[in-house]
Every structure is written in C-alpha cells, then in structure tokens.
Amino acid sequence: MTSNQTEENKGNILIVDDTPENLQVLSATLSDRGYKIRGVINGKMAVRAARSGSPDLILLDIKMPEMDGYEVCTQLKADPKTSDIPVIFISALDEVLDKVTAFQVGGVDYVTKPFHVAEVLARIEHQLTIQRLKKELMDRNTQLQQEIIERKKAEEVAAAASLAKSQFVANMSHELRTPLNAILGFTQVMSRDSLLNNENIENLRIINRSGQHLLELINDVLDLSKIEAGIIGLDERSFDLYQLLDTLEEMFQIKAELTNLQLRFFVQANVPQYIKTDEKKLRVCLINLLGNAIKFTPEGGSIWLRASMESKQDRPESEINLNYSSTEEFGIIFEVEDTGVGIAVAELDNLFDAFVQTEAGKKAADGTGLGLTITKKYVQIMGGDIGIESVLGEGSRFKFNIRAFAATESEITVTTLQRVIGLEAEQQVYRILAVDDNQENRLLLVKMLQPIGFEVLEAENGLQAVELWESWQPDLIWLDTRMPVMDGLEAVRQIRVKEKATQGRTVIIALTASTFEERKGEIIAAGCDDFVRKPFQEQILFDKMTCYLGVRYIYEELPQLPVGALRRYFVAEKPDSFFVSLLTEMPLYWVQELNEAVNDVNEELAIEIVDRISETHPILAQALNDLLADYRLDRILNLTQLILK
C-alpha cells in the first residue's frame, strides 16, 4: 500500500473481472491513485460484495461465466441496497448494441478494452463527483426538509399568537366601542331637547364631533395589523380642506385653552380649498401630531400648524400656477411645531416604531405608542413621508407631505341637515325589539325610537329575545351579538328555525361593536338581514327601518352653516412688496401713527388706526388686520419702518 493510500481514501471501488491479470492491473493502478480496491472474479461474488461492502463505484466486466455483467447489473439495480451504486462497464465488446444494452440495464458509463489508464481514472472521478454532488444535494434536501418542518412549527406558533391577538383585539374593540356608543348616542338624544340654548347645542356638537374623532382613532389603532399587512389602501375623495382644518382647530382650541396654550393655524394663500386625497387618513395624521403637541407642551407654550404648497422644481414660487387641473397631482406640506419638552437625539431613530414611547411619553403615562407609527404609515400611503426636528427642552417640529389633486366645490357631497321627528300618518304601528345586555345601550334605543312613535320592548339576552319574539311578534329586532345566557347569533338561528312553522319572517339587524369585516359573513350566515356597527348615528337606524319596513318619517330641517362661516387661513406670508406698494399710497402721518402703536405693543390702538382706512383702502386694511389677528406686530413694525426711512 502506497503512502497516498494511507494519507487519503478517495473512494471504495469494487472491480469485477474473471481475468486475474486485468484485476491486478486495475487494482494496482487505482490503489496508487488513492482508491481502496476490492476485486472479485465472477457475478455471484460481485452481488454479495456489493451488498455487504457498499462500494462507491463498481467497474464491471461483461463477458463472464455463469452470470454476465448485464445480469449482475440488473440484480444490483433491483436491490434497494445497491441500486444507487454507479456501474461502469469495462469490456472488449465494441459493438453499438453492446453499449446500448449496458446503458439499458443501468450502467452509467462504458469503457472499451484495451483502455488508457488516464481515461479510466477520468471516468471514475467524474462518476464519483456526480455521486458526491448527489449526496450533498440529498443532505441539503434533508436539511431543507428539516427547516421546512421547523418553519411550519414556527408558523403554527405564530398563527396561534395571531389568533390570540385577534381575539384580544376583538374583545378590546367591543369593550371600547360599547361605552362610546352610549356617549355618542345620548348626545344625539339630548340634542332633541327644545329647551337647550344655542351654547349647549354647540357644546353637544363638539362632544359628538370629538367622539367621532375618538371612534375613528380607536378603529385605526385596532386595525394596525391590517395596515402592516398592506390591507388598508388609499381612499381618495374630494373634500374641503379649510373645513377640515376649521374642525380640528375648534376641536383642539378648547383643550389648548385649558393649559393656557396658544394654538395657531396658518395656511398659505395658494393652498387649494378643495382637494382630492384620503381625508380620513389626513385627519388622523393631524390629530395625532396636534394631540402630541398639546400633551407635551408646558403651560403657556405655543403650537403652530402650517400648510403650504410644495414648490415645483426649478420654478420660483412666484411663478407657480395656482390653478391646478383636476388631473394634475401636487404636493401639500403640513408642519406641526411646538415649544414643548422636545425629544432626545438618541430617541429619534426609533420614534416611529410601534409601541415605542419617548421618556416624556412614559412619564405622561398615557397613550399606546402607536400614534406616530400610524401617522407615518398613513403619510406613506398618501404618497409622502414624515420627518422630525427636535431640541430637548425647546420643542419639536414634525413635517410631512402628501400628494393630492385639485377638486371643485361641486364635487363635494353636501348632506342636507335634517332630523326625524315623527312618523307620517296612516302607517301601521311598528313593533321594535331592542336586545342588548348593556342597559345603557337598550335605553339609548328606547329613547331614540319611542319618541318618534315606535312601540319598543327590551330584552337583555338572546333567550329573552326568543321568548319575546314568540309572544309579541315584533316587526324588527335590533340585536346585539355578544350577550350572556344566549348570544345574538344563536338567538337569530333559533328564531329562523321557529319561523319555518309560522311561515313568517321578522327583520333582524345585528348591532355589533366589532371592527372586523369578516364578522359580516358570520352574522349574515346566522340569519340576520343586515348589521350596523356601534357606535351608530340615529339616522342610520331610521334609514335601515325605511329600507326593510318601508317606514315613512316627518323631518325637521336643521340650520345650515352660513356661507363664509369657515375661516380662510390667508394669513399666509404676503411679500413685503405687496405691503410697501400699498403703504406708500398712505399719508405719512398715518404710517407714523401705526408704527408708534405697534412699537408700543398697543393692539387696540393699532386696530383703530387700521379701521380708519377700511372703506377707502379695503385691501390694505384686510391684509393688516390679518397680521394683527395673528399677533404679527413685529411684521407691521418692520413694514412701516421701510416707509419711514
């Protein structure tokens, strides 16, 4: 045995040849090349040696007594233990038919005698390489299969966690929306009181609007998983941007005043009033940022919201076309700045991650840490991005942009403000069954429906609902889905079964606090005709009863907001040239009086001075009044000094 053999075994080879001389030559040659060799002289011995020794490769002669090479190969391929061993035929037979037969019985190669040693070595190494690669591939496949099994186990664990999360979200949805249903519902009931004065009516409207905003925020927080999954997309609609900002300012102004904060909204004059984008998502983004600004700004601080147009590339702002077409996309920038506690540099990188709160947020001990995450995702859905600049102890400035299209006032759907106050004459008496385990929710339905003229009975669980259905035969059932004793879905199933004997059908509409769309199929499959999500507006209930029962109502028209009631935020920075050209037309003494008034920070006197010219110079008066309303005495001082130089 050579030193090569002791250093490395390149493979185990079985040589089968009935001529001892051929065996010796091949054995010596291959042993010198580092192979471990075993030789046999007939077919039977070859089959036994292959089964017992499991060689890596077999060199097989064809013409042998008792059993030729073809038969040996056939038996080896038929046995699972030896079927994968590659067989190279070595034979003096050189006919094409012989070679074809060799490959047909399972041979992988064919060498003709007399052979060149280099050729035999090359063919052996080639086949062993193939075998080695096959083994590596099999090992890799085995590893992949194991990884697949482990991944499936991990997916099962994740699915179980997701199911638990979904159940938690469903329960949280129900727990949050149920009390909110009572809050919003009773504001609607109270608004019917004819003895309320205008101030209380407006207070109720503010409560209702704020509750609706809260409801939308709850829905968005509960749907965070849908946002991350990419299920929630862009819902583009035309709306009045100024009205949206007015509503937000009104909503946050009261909160700001409680802590003596100055809240200022600025909108550049070239920002269109009517735009088309996702109003709901934009509102949520602004609510989140303004809410944070108020939360983290100490008493006496200031908060600003600014809206401006993105400048078009390579064009001066003065040349930007303000008349955008409905098909032309443009960008709007929103900034929310405060003089609050600020954010440390180390916290900025993870600020928009889910459930992450800053040190100030942790001290505040409220919030979920989802507001900024939702805001960023919504901004990205609207085609923009969001960033922050902050100095710890001095304040923060959030800035984001969105893509939008121009819209017109005619595209905005204006809902006529009217309220149901009774039933039209000559209608049947409608029996309505209100089923809910929550007493406040049942009382809400009673107070909404009875004054209109409906007969209403209550049930606090599904079992009572079935019993009252049998004895009272209501025309319509408002049915909560989650109740003790018997839930709503089981109640509707039992009612539908019992109806088969009576050949009648009661309209059943589910009331659900679930935010999950997939529950709709479950509710309808149980036998409900429709469903309404809590919290609901009273008009939705009345509309559903018209749809299913044909109920006709008497309406009261509600007062509309007067045209122009909404503030237009054109306090946007007009250039100095605008003011200077108008101020130069004014008497110098008048400019001097105005300069002295603002220099003494005498706002009342400044307003009086400006009011003197409102009839003769209305454009200048309006522009100066805008600055005064925005407490920009510094700007007026600079402008008047330009004239007095």
Side-chain angles (χ1 to χ4, degrees):
M1 184 176 291
T2 66
S3 60
N4 287 340
Q5 285 178 283
T6 59
E7 292 175 2
E8 179 185 7
N9 178 15
K10 296 174 64 176
N12 298 323
I13 297 178
L14 174 63
I15 303 175
V16 186
D17 197 312
D18 62 333
T19 305
E21 292 80 2
N22 291 340
L23 276 177
Q24 292 174 358
V25 171
L26 279 173
S27 296
T29 302
L30 295 177
S31 295
D32 288 342
R33 297 301 190 277
Y35 294 100
K36 186 176 180 180
I37 305 301
R38 182 179 180 183
V40 295
I41 59 173
N42 61 54
K44 290 182 179 180
M45 293 175 65
V47 172
R48 286 197 300 269
R51 288 173 177 169
S52 61
S54 298
D56 299 311
L57 184 140
I58 299 174
L59 294 176
L60 180 60
D61 189 20
I62 295 177
K63 294 195 68 174
M64 294 183 296
E66 296 183 16
M67 184 187 297
D68 63 17
Y70 296 141
E71 178 60 26
V72 172
C73 189
T74 300
Q75 289 191 22
L76 292 175
K77 295 303 173 184
D79 188 338
K81 289 184 178 181
T82 56
S83 60
D84 291 332
I85 302 173
V87 176
I88 298 178
F89 285 98
I90 296 184
S91 175
L93 301 176
D94 197 22
E95 297 295 329
V96 172
L97 183 59
D98 296 317
K99 296 178 180 179
V100 169
T101 302
F103 286 112
Q104 287 177 340
V105 297
V108 296
D109 207 343
Y110 194 102
V111 177
T112 304
K113 296 177 183 178
F115 50 78
H116 293 284
V117 172
E119 178 186 2
V120 175
L121 287 171
R123 291 178 184 269
I124 289 172
E125 289 175 1
H126 175 66
Q127 291 301 325
L128 290 178
T129 299
I130 292 174
Q131 289 300 106
R132 185 174 63 255
L133 292 175
K134 281 184 179 180
K135 186 177 184 305
E136 290 176 359
L137 182 60
M138 290 176 64
D139 291 343
R140 181 58 182 155
N141 284 339
T142 301
Q143 182 181 352
L144 287 174
Q145 290 296 324
Q146 185 61 37
E147 289 177 2
I148 290 171
I149 292 171
E150 291 175 359
R151 184 170 298 176
K152 284 183 177 178
K153 289 180 180 178
E155 288 173 355
E156 289 173 359
V157 171
S162 178
L163 181 62
K165 175 185 173 184
S166 297
Q167 187 61 48
F168 168 78
V169 170
N171 291 336
M172 184 61 67
S173 165
H174 188 271
E175 295 304 318
L176 289 172
R177 293 164 68 89
T178 296
L180 192 56
N181 180 58
I183 294 171
L184 293 176
F186 278 103
T187 60
Q188 297 170 70
V189 171
M190 291 174 67
S191 67
R192 293 179 173 276
D193 189 345
S194 59
L195 299 179
L196 287 175
N197 58 36
N198 290 336
E199 182 181 356
N200 286 333
I201 290 173
E202 183 59 27
N203 290 340
L204 283 174
R205 288 178 178 172
I206 292 172
I207 292 171
N208 190 268
R209 282 194 295 270
S210 298
Q212 291 296 333
H213 286 307
L214 176 60
L215 173 61
E216 290 172 2
L217 287 172
I218 290 171
N219 290 343
D220 293 330
V221 171
L222 294 174
D223 285 345
L224 180 63
S225 57
K226 294 183 180 180
I227 300 172
E228 292 175 340
I231 297 172
I232 293 181
L234 191 65
D235 181 18
E236 290 184 315
R237 299 184 186 184
S238 299
F239 64 96
D240 187 334
L241 176 61
Y242 296 165
Q243 183 179 17
L244 169 62
L245 294 174
D246 259 321
T247 303
L248 292 179
E249 185 174 24
E250 177 187 53
M251 175 181 171
F252 284 102
Q253 191 65 53
I254 296 174
K255 206 170 185 180
E257 290 173 357
L258 291 175
T259 51
N260 193 26
L261 299 175
Q262 288 190 351
L263 179 64
R264 299 281 181 266
F265 279 40
F266 305 93
V267 179
Q268 279 190 352
N270 58 347
V271 175
Q273 180 174 359
Y274 304 105
I275 65 172
K276 183 178 182 180
T277 184
D278 196 319
E279 179 185 10
K280 176 186 173 184
K281 290 182 177 60
L282 175 59
R283 182 170 60 247
V284 169
C285 293
L286 294 174
I287 286 174
N288 285 341
L289 295 179
L290 287 168
N292 280 350
I294 287 178
K295 183 193 303 184
F296 298 117
T297 301
E299 185 173 354
S302 299
I303 297 165
W304 301 271
L305 183 147
R306 304 183 185 91
S308 59
M309 296 295 290
E310 278 187 347
S311 298
K312 295 189 176 179
Q313 193 174 6
D314 302 325
R315 291 176 61 186
E317 189 172 345
S318 60
E319 296 179 9
I320 294 178
N321 175 24
L322 303 185
N323 299 313
Y324 292 90
S325 70
S326 60
T327 58
E328 186 177 1
E329 190 179 56
F330 54 83
I332 303 178
I333 298 172
F334 295 92
E335 298 177 65
V336 175
E337 185 175 357
D338 62 62
T339 58
V341 297
I343 302 168
V345 174
E347 296 180 310
L348 293 178
D349 289 342
N350 301 321
L351 189 63
F352 295 99
D353 293 347
F355 303 106
V356 170
Q357 289 184 308
T358 63
E359 286 301 315
K362 293 173 184 176
K363 291 176 183 177
D366 63 353
T368 61
L370 292 176
L372 290 179
T373 306
I374 293 171
T375 298
K376 182 172 183 176
K377 291 180 183 296
Y378 277 0
V379 166
Q380 291 172 339
I381 290 173
M382 290 186 285
D385 204 357
I386 186 170
I388 178 176
E389 297 175 1
S390 186
V391 177
L392 191 62
E394 296 184 12
S396 303
R397 181 168 69 98
F398 287 87
K399 181 178 180 180
F400 71 88
N401 64 309
I402 63 168
R403 312 307 302 168
F405 295 92
T408 62
E409 186 175 4
S410 60
E411 297 174 37
I412 312 298
T413 302
V414 179
T415 304
T416 302
L417 293 178
Q418 58 180 12
R419 180 168 59 196
V420 172
I421 58 174
L423 298 175
E424 281 190 7
E426 299 181 0
Q427 295 186 82
Q428 71 177 73
V429 177
Y430 293 102
R431 296 180 173 185
I432 309 298
L433 178 58
V435 187
D436 199 310
D437 64 315
N438 185 286
Q439 184 179 3
E440 289 81 4
N441 285 339
R442 294 199 308 274
L443 182 60
L444 173 61
L445 288 169
V446 171
K447 287 186 174 292
M448 280 184 173
L449 302 179
Q450 271 187 349
I452 304 303
F454 295 100
E455 285 190 10
V456 186
L457 287 185
E458 304 174 48
E460 63 183 33
N461 58 58
L463 183 60
Q464 288 183 10
V466 175
E467 292 171 350
L468 278 172
W469 172 83
E470 291 179 315
S471 61
W472 194 54
Q473 290 296 300
D475 298 295
L476 184 145
I477 302 175
W478 290 107
L479 183 69
D480 185 31
T481 56
R482 293 179 56 171
M483 296 179 292
V485 184
M486 180 187 294
D487 67 27
L489 298 187
E490 179 57 29
V492 72
R493 292 187 191 100
Q494 291 195 17
I495 289 172
R496 293 307 185 210
V497 170
K498 293 176 182 293
E499 281 178 338
K500 293 178 181 178
T502 63
Q503 297 184 347
R505 183 177 174 87
T506 302
V507 176
I508 303 177
I509 302 178
L511 291 171
T512 174
S514 172
T515 61
F516 292 96
E517 188 67 28
E518 55 265 26
R519 284 221 72 197
K520 179 179 179 180
E522 179 187 358
I523 290 168
I524 300 302
C528 292
D529 297 283
D530 206 341
F531 78 107
V532 171
R533 285 195 178 95
K534 300 175 185 176
F536 49 77
Q537 294 291 319
E538 62 177 15
Q539 189 58 48
I540 293 177
L541 269 63
F542 295 137
D543 289 345
K544 292 291 185 184
M545 289 188 286
T546 294
C547 175
Y548 288 99
L549 300 179
V551 181
R552 304 187 307 278
Y553 303 103
I554 301 170
Y555 292 93
E556 172 192 29
E557 296 296 324
L558 299 176
Q560 301 282 345
L561 285 173
V563 177
L566 297 176
R567 293 181 296 280
R568 293 178 62 111
Y569 301 91
F570 284 176
V571 220
E573 301 290 322
K574 293 181 173 63
D576 287 354
S577 58
F578 169 85
F579 287 99
V580 170
S581 63
L582 294 174
L583 286 170
T584 52
E585 300 174 6
M586 302 300 298
L588 201 60
Y589 75 86
W590 184 91
V591 178
Q592 181 68 44
E593 285 184 18
L594 181 60
N595 175 269
E596 292 173 357
V598 296
N599 190 47
D600 293 338
V601 197
N602 191 334
E603 296 177 40
E604 292 183 1
L605 179 57
I607 292 171
E608 289 178 8
I609 295 170
V610 172
D611 283 346
R612 292 181 208 159
I613 65 163
S614 58
E615 292 186 6
T616 56
H617 298 80
I619 295 177
L620 176 59
Q622 181 61 54
L624 290 172
N625 277 323
D626 284 344
L627 291 176
L628 287 168
D630 193 34
Y631 303 101
R632 291 304 307 273
L633 299 182
D634 60 325
R635 183 95 195 277
I636 298 175
L637 182 64
N638 292 334
L639 291 168
T640 53
Q641 286 176 345
L642 290 174
I643 304 300
L644 296 173
K645 282 182 179 179

